[in-house]
Amino acid sequence: MTNTDRTSLAGPVTPREIPDAAIAMLDAEGTVVGWTHAAEQLVGYTAAEVVGRSAVHVLPPAEAAARASAFAERCQAQDGWSGTMTVRHRDGHTIRMTLRISLLWGQDADTRWLVSVTDIGTLSSEASNGPVRESLLAHAPVGIAVYDPELRCTWVNDVMERHDGTPRSRRFGRRLRDALPAVEAEALEVVMRQVLNSGTTTVHEYRVWSSADRRREHAFSASFFCLQDASGQAMGVCAMSVDVTGNRRARERLAILSEAGTRIGSTLDFMKTGQELADLAVPLLADIAVVDLLESVPFGLEPSAGIAATSGRRPVLRRAGVASLDRGALELPAVREEVIHVPPGSSFGAALRTGKSHLEPVLDAHAGPWVDHDPTRAQKVRDSGIHSLMVVPIRARRCVLGLALFGRSQELTPFQDDDLLLAEELVTRAALSLDNALQYARQRTAALTLQRDLLPHHVDGGAALDVASRYVPADAEHGVGGDWFDVIRLSGARVALVVGDVVGHGINAAATMGRLRTAVRTLADMELPPHELLTHLDDTVKRLGEEDVDAPDHVPAAVGATCLYAVYDPVTRRCTMARAGHPPPAIIDPQGHVAFPDMPAGAPLGLGLGLVPFESVELELPEGTLLALYTDGLVEARDDDIDAGLDRLGAALAQTGGSLEDLCSQVIEILPAQAPADDVTLLLARTRALEPAQVASWDLVDEPAAVRTARQVAARQLSEWGLEHLVTNVELVVSELVTNAIRHGEGPSRLRLIQHQVLTCEVTDGSTSHPRPRHPDTLDENGRGLFLVAQLSRRWGSRSGADGKVVWAEQDLPPTAVAM
C-alpha cells in the first residue's frame, strides 16, 4: 500500500502552468547575472537592459539608491530578507511588490542572491490567502536550486538540505538523480527541459522523505523558472520548492470527508452504517478498521447517557463493521455481528465510560493496555502487525453508542494528531447517521406498537368462516403504514370482512388507521349494506381531513384511504361486497380456480368524490370457497406491475390443501427478497354453510293472532333442538317482536330462528322504519316491549332488508348446543 494509493482522492499530481513570478539572480556585488521573462513583463526591462548592471539602478526607486548599500549589508547579515517594497516600472509608474531575497551557495563557497518578486495587485484573493502567499510572501522555508542547461546543480540554498537530506557539497555538478529517487528525478528533469525550451514557468509536485521527519513522506511543490543571460538565451533553470505536506494532507482530509458524505449513512440500518464507516476508513485512513456498537443500538434502543463506572457491569458490544487490507485479519478479534464483552476496567471500557478518544502512536510488543485484559486478543493483535492504534468513541447527544478502532499494520507511518482529528470527524458523521436511525427506530417502534395494538389480536369468523391473517410492516426506510383488517360478527350468523389502507406512513397513519377501524366497527353495528357503509366512511375520512383546519398556522395533513368491505351470510351462502379504490379480492373455488371478480373500483375515501356512488355486488359462493382480502403492498413491487403481483398471488392461493395459517405463510413468502416498501396485510377466509336443520322460518299473517302462532312454532322448534330451557324467554321475545311488526310494520311478516354459536330470533316486515327503545312513564301502558327484549337477550338490533327491515335478538346457548 503506497501513500499514493492512500491519497488518490485528492486528485492526480501533474505539472501545470501558473502565472510567472519575477526572478532575478544577482552576484555577491549585487550585479544582475540572470533574468526571467516574467521579470521583464513586471518591470519593463529586458534581459539585455538589466543583465550585467547593478540591481541598485533597476529594482529600487531612484531615491532609495543611497540606502542600497545599507540594505545589502543587512541582507548579508541575515542571509536574506523578505517583505514589501515599491518598485518603479521602466515607464515611470510605481508597483507595490512583495520581495524575497535568498542567499545561494556555490562551489568554493561562492555566493549569489536570488530575488523573487510578485506584484501584490495581480494576486487573487484565493492566491493571496493560499499556498502562493504562504510560500512567497510569508516566512515559510523555500528551497532554491539553480541548474545549468545540462541540468547540473550550480547554486543552492541551505533549505534544500532540510527538504531531502542531501548536503550542498554533494549537489554541485550533479543532476537530480543523485539526490532523489529515479522516478521522481526523471519526472522533474522532464519538466526542467520543457522550461528551458519554452521559457515558461511550471509547477510540479513530488514526494520525498524529509531529513527532518523520517517518519513521514513529504510532498513538495516546486516552481521552475528559466533564467536568461544578457542575450536573452536560457542560461539555466531555477527551482524553488515549498513543503506543502500540510496543505496536501488538508486537501486529502477534505476529499475523504467529502467521500464520507456520500458513503456513510446511505440507509437507516445500524449495522450497515457501521460497515460503511469501516469500509471508508480502509484504505484511506487505516489498514484495519473495526466498528462496535453497544448491543442495544442495533435493536433501535438508545443507551443511557453514560456507562456507570461503579455499576460493575460488563459493557456488551456487537461488531457492526470490520475492514482490513489483509483479508485474513477480518476476524480480528471478532467477526461481524459477534457479541463482544468489554471488562469495565479495561482501556476500552474507560473509552466507553468517558467518551474520550485515544491515540496510541506506537503499540509496544505486548499490544499495550488496550488488550492486556484478553490474552487471546493480544496475541491476535501481535499477529496482525498492528503498530499504531486510534480508539474513537461513537457519540450522539451525550450518549456513547459504541467504539471505532483504527489500526495501521502495513503503513509504517504511525498515526498522528491530525489523523485522530480526521478519524473523529468521520466517526462524528457516522454517529449522526446512527442517531438519525435511532430517532427513526424510536418513532417506528411507537408507530408499530400503536399499529399492532389497534389491529385485532384475534379474529373469529364464527359459524360462517374460518379465518387467518398476516400483517408485515414496511421496511425501515419507508416506515410503518396505515394498513388495517378486521373480522366483525354480525347478526344472523353473518360476518363482515374488512381490509383498508391509509395513505402515508408513520405514527399519524397508524393513528388514522385506528380511527377508521373504529368507525367501520360502529357503522357495521348499524347493519348497513357495504356500499352505504363506505359512503358514511367516506364522509368520516373527509371530516378527519378537515379537522383543525381553522387553527392558526395549521397545515392539515393529507388524509385518504382505500377499503374493501364484504359481508358473508352462511345461511344463503351469498357474499355482498363493495370497495373504495382498493384492490379486488381473490376468490378461489373448492377446485382451486382463482378469480378476481369484476366489481366497481370506487373512489378512494376522502377525495371528495361523493357524486360517484359506491356500488355493491353480490356473489353466491359454494361452501369451502376461499376469500383473500389484501392490501396493495402484497401485489405491488418496485420492478413489477400489479398484474405480475396478482399472478403470483393467484398461484400461491391455488394451493388450497393445507390450513389457512400455513397458506398465509406461503403467500407471504412470495414477497420479493427485499423488505417491502409498503405494509402488507392479508386476510384469508374459507366459507362455511349452515345446515338446513339449523335454520327454521315461518311466514306470518298480518293479524294479532299471528303472535300466538309465532310463540307456538318457536317453542316447538326449540324442543326439537333440545333447547327447552330457552322456551320461556324466546316466547316472550317472539311475542314482542311479532307484535311490533303487526302494529308498526307494513305487509306480511316472517319469523326465522337460526341456531349457530348463538340462537338468533329474527322478525321481518315490509317497513323501513327501524324501532327505537322508549322510556315510558309509570302510568304508560305501551312502550316497554323493546325494553323487555333487551333484558331477555344477550343483544338485539335491526337491519335493513331487501323489502323492509329485520329486527333480531340473540340468546346464549349452552356449550354442548353450539352448532359449528
Side-chain angles (χ1 to χ4, degrees):
M1 178 68 188
T2 66
N3 230 15
T4 302
D5 295 328
R6 203 177 282 282
T7 60
S8 59
L9 288 175
V13 178
T14 57
R16 63 188 186 277
E17 293 189 355
I18 64 169
D20 290 346
I23 300 294
M25 190 173 181
L26 314 179
D27 62 15
E29 287 73 31
T31 302
V32 179
V33 296
W35 196 247
T36 63
H37 180 67
E40 177 183 346
Q41 291 181 323
L42 183 62
V43 297
Y45 294 96
T46 65
E49 293 172 316
V50 173
V51 175
R53 299 184 62 187
S54 173
V56 172
H57 301 289
V58 178
L59 294 179
E63 60 271 16
R67 300 195 302 270
S69 177
F71 178 72
E73 291 177 1
R74 185 170 55 173
C75 290
Q76 186 74 39
Q78 298 177 356
D79 291 338
W81 180 86
S82 63
T84 60
M85 178 178 292
T86 301
V87 176
R88 187 177 59 194
H89 192 271
R90 188 175 186 274
D91 62 11
H93 75 274
T94 57
I95 308 171
R96 188 67 174 170
M97 301 286 188
T98 61
L99 194 72
R100 179 187 288 269
I101 301 175
S102 305
L103 178 64
L104 304 182
W105 297 93
Q107 286 183 316
D108 301 329
D110 292 339
T111 60
R112 284 191 177 180
W113 299 96
L114 190 85
V115 181
S116 59
V117 184
T118 304
D119 181 359
I120 294 179
T122 64
L123 288 178
S124 66
S125 60
E126 179 180 355
S128 61
N129 293 313
V132 173
R133 182 172 180 84
E134 293 176 359
S135 62
L136 296 180
L137 304 186
H139 298 281
V142 178
I144 302 174
V146 178
Y147 302 87
D148 64 18
E150 300 300 323
L151 303 184
R152 294 179 299 234
C153 182
T154 56
W155 302 93
V156 69
N157 72 345
D158 292 333
V159 177
M160 285 299 295
E161 180 176 349
R162 298 202 298 270
H163 280 184
D164 57 22
T166 303
R168 64 172 181 257
S169 59
R170 290 180 50 194
R171 293 180 182 272
F172 298 128
R174 299 183 181 183
R175 295 172 57 174
L176 283 174
R177 67 184 64 172
D178 298 316
L180 298 178
V183 175
E184 293 291 355
E186 180 63 29
L188 291 175
E189 288 190 353
V190 169
V191 175
M192 292 165 69
R193 291 190 185 95
Q194 292 175 350
V195 170
L196 283 172
N197 294 332
S198 65
T200 58
T201 300
T202 302
V203 173
H204 186 78
E205 292 187 8
Y206 64 97
R207 293 174 175 270
V208 295
W209 292 94
S210 169
S211 61
D213 185 3
R214 288 296 182 181
R215 297 179 304 171
R216 177 188 297 178
E217 192 178 32
H218 282 237
F220 293 91
S221 177
S223 300
F224 297 93
F225 308 88
C226 180
L227 293 174
Q228 300 175 343
D229 57 18
S231 63
Q233 299 299 313
M235 58 170 286
V237 177
C238 173
M240 300 177 65
S241 60
V242 180
D243 190 336
V244 294
T245 303
N247 296 330
R248 184 170 182 82
R249 289 180 64 82
R251 295 197 301 271
E252 292 167 355
R253 287 195 294 271
L254 288 174
I256 293 174
L257 293 176
S258 176
E259 189 81 357
T262 59
R263 291 177 54 183
I264 296 179
S266 61
T267 70
L268 292 172
D269 184 282
F270 299 97
M271 304 297 280
K272 186 172 182 180
T273 298
Q275 187 61 46
E276 288 171 344
L277 173 59
D279 289 338
L280 178 67
V282 177
L284 299 179
L285 175 63
D287 299 329
I288 296 175
V290 174
V291 179
D292 296 333
L293 300 177
L294 288 173
E295 191 177 30
S296 62
V297 173
F299 297 99
L301 302 177
E302 184 172 321
S304 59
I307 298 177
T310 59
S311 66
R313 293 181 296 123
R314 294 167 63 94
V316 179
L317 304 176
R318 185 176 294 273
R319 181 128 302 165
V322 57
S324 174
L325 293 177
D326 180 7
R327 304 299 296 179
L330 290 181
E331 297 185 4
L332 174 71
V335 297
R336 190 168 183 261
E337 298 190 7
E338 186 173 336
V339 173
I340 303 163
H341 297 273
V342 180
S346 68
S347 299
F348 289 108
L352 285 171
R353 187 172 58 255
T354 64
K356 294 181 179 179
S357 302
H358 184 83
L359 169 63
E360 193 78 17
V362 180
L363 289 175
D364 61 25
H366 299 288
W370 293 99
V371 290
D372 54 11
H373 61 278
D374 188 343
T376 303
R377 183 190 297 254
Q379 183 61 45
K380 288 186 175 182
V381 170
R382 286 193 295 271
D383 294 342
S384 70
I386 296 178
H387 61 82
S388 188
L389 181 70
M390 294 187 296
V391 179
V392 182
I394 305 172
R395 302 187 60 185
R397 291 182 295 111
R398 296 185 299 175
C399 290
V400 177
L401 307 181
L403 292 175
L405 286 72
F406 306 95
R408 280 186 176 170
S409 55
Q410 299 184 23
E411 168 64 31
L412 300 179
T413 305
F415 288 123
Q416 299 185 20
D417 290 338
D418 57 347
D419 295 312
L420 182 61
L421 292 175
L422 175 58
E424 289 177 332
E425 181 64 26
L426 292 177
V427 170
T428 297
R429 300 196 177 201
L432 179 61
S433 298
L434 291 171
D435 187 52
N436 290 338
L438 275 174
Q439 298 285 347
Y440 175 80
R442 188 161 48 247
Q443 295 178 8
R444 184 174 187 270
T445 299
L448 185 58
T449 301
L450 178 63
Q451 178 93 332
R452 293 195 183 281
D453 284 346
L454 294 176
L455 290 175
H457 297 172
H458 173 71
V459 289
D460 182 8
L465 299 167
D466 290 326
V467 292
S469 63
R470 288 291 187 278
Y471 169 70
V472 180
D475 59 20
E477 179 179 354
H478 295 85
V480 178
D483 284 13
W484 90 91
F485 65 94
D486 214 340
V487 178
I488 306 170
R489 294 171 64 176
L490 305 175
S491 63
R494 298 170 308 126
V495 175
L497 302 173
V498 190
V499 168
D501 186 1
V502 174
V503 172
H505 296 83
I507 200 165
N508 290 334
T512 301
M513 174 275 292
R515 301 167 78 176
L516 294 187
R517 178 175 178 242
T518 301
V520 170
R521 277 194 162 264
T522 301
L523 294 171
D525 286 342
M526 297 173 62
E527 303 274 6
L528 297 174
H531 63 280
E532 290 187 23
L533 183 143
L534 291 182
T535 300
H536 287 285
L537 188 62
D538 184 41
D539 292 336
T540 300
V541 175
K542 285 187 286 187
R543 285 197 301 271
L544 291 177
E546 296 168 357
E547 284 184 354
D548 301 326
V549 70
D550 296 329
D553 301 327
H554 175 76
V555 179
V559 177
T562 64
C563 184
L564 173 63
Y565 184 80
V567 176
Y568 174 70
D569 187 344
V571 177
T572 63
R573 293 184 289 104
R574 301 189 73 81
C575 182
T576 307
M577 61 185 74
R579 59 181 177 137
H582 202 82
I587 299 178
I588 303 91
D589 66 21
Q591 289 72 42
H593 300 137
V594 181
F596 295 91
D598 184 13
M599 55 185 295
L605 303 173
L607 297 185
L609 302 179
L611 297 178
V612 181
F614 299 103
E615 298 181 47
S616 295
V617 296
E618 188 174 73
L619 303 174
E620 184 172 344
L621 304 178
E623 184 176 6
T625 298
L626 180 65
L627 288 169
L629 283 65
Y630 53 91
T631 54
D632 54 8
L634 182 63
V635 294
E636 290 184 352
R638 296 182 179 95
D639 302 324
D640 293 330
D641 58 25
I642 192 171
D643 290 336
L646 292 175
D647 290 341
R648 287 194 302 269
L649 175 61
L653 292 172
Q655 305 173 20
T656 59
S659 68
L660 290 186
E661 290 293 336
D662 292 341
L663 186 57
C664 272
S665 299
Q666 295 173 14
V667 173
I668 294 300
E669 289 175 358
I670 72 172
L671 292 174
Q674 68 269 25
D678 195 5
D679 286 11
V680 172
T681 299
L682 175 64
L683 178 62
L684 297 182
R686 182 172 285 126
T687 63
R688 296 176 179 175
L690 294 185
E691 297 292 336
Q694 294 177 252
V695 182
S697 62
W698 303 268
D699 292 326
L700 303 175
V701 296
D702 191 15
E703 297 177 359
V707 176
R708 181 171 177 272
T709 302
R711 289 200 303 267
Q712 292 174 343
V713 295
R716 188 182 311 116
Q717 186 62 53
L718 291 179
S719 297
E720 291 180 8
W721 283 341
L723 301 176
E724 291 85 354
H725 65 286
L726 294 178
V727 169
T728 301
N729 285 352
V730 171
E731 282 184 333
L732 290 172
V733 170
V734 168
S735 178
E736 292 297 334
L737 296 183
V738 173
T739 298
N740 284 341
I742 294 173
R743 287 182 178 180
H744 308 292
E746 296 178 2
S749 58
R750 184 177 183 82
L751 170 66
R752 185 170 72 165
L753 297 179
I754 306 173
Q755 180 198 14
H756 49 109
Q757 292 181 327
V758 294
L759 176 68
T760 301
C761 174
E762 297 180 347
V763 175
T764 305
D765 65 69
S767 173
T768 58
S769 298
H770 291 261
R772 291 187 300 173
R774 294 169 53 190
H775 297 280
D777 293 334
T778 305
L779 299 179
D780 289 346
E781 297 182 1
N782 299 313
R784 294 180 176 84
L786 291 179
F787 178 77
L788 180 62
V789 170
Q791 293 297 312
L792 296 175
S793 306
R794 68 188 299 269
R795 64 173 188 150
W796 75 278
S798 65
R799 67 177 185 268
S800 297
D803 300 315
K805 69 175 181 295
V806 178
V807 183
W808 55 268
E810 293 179 350
Q811 301 286 323
D812 286 320
L813 295 177
T816 55
V818 174
M820 297 296 294

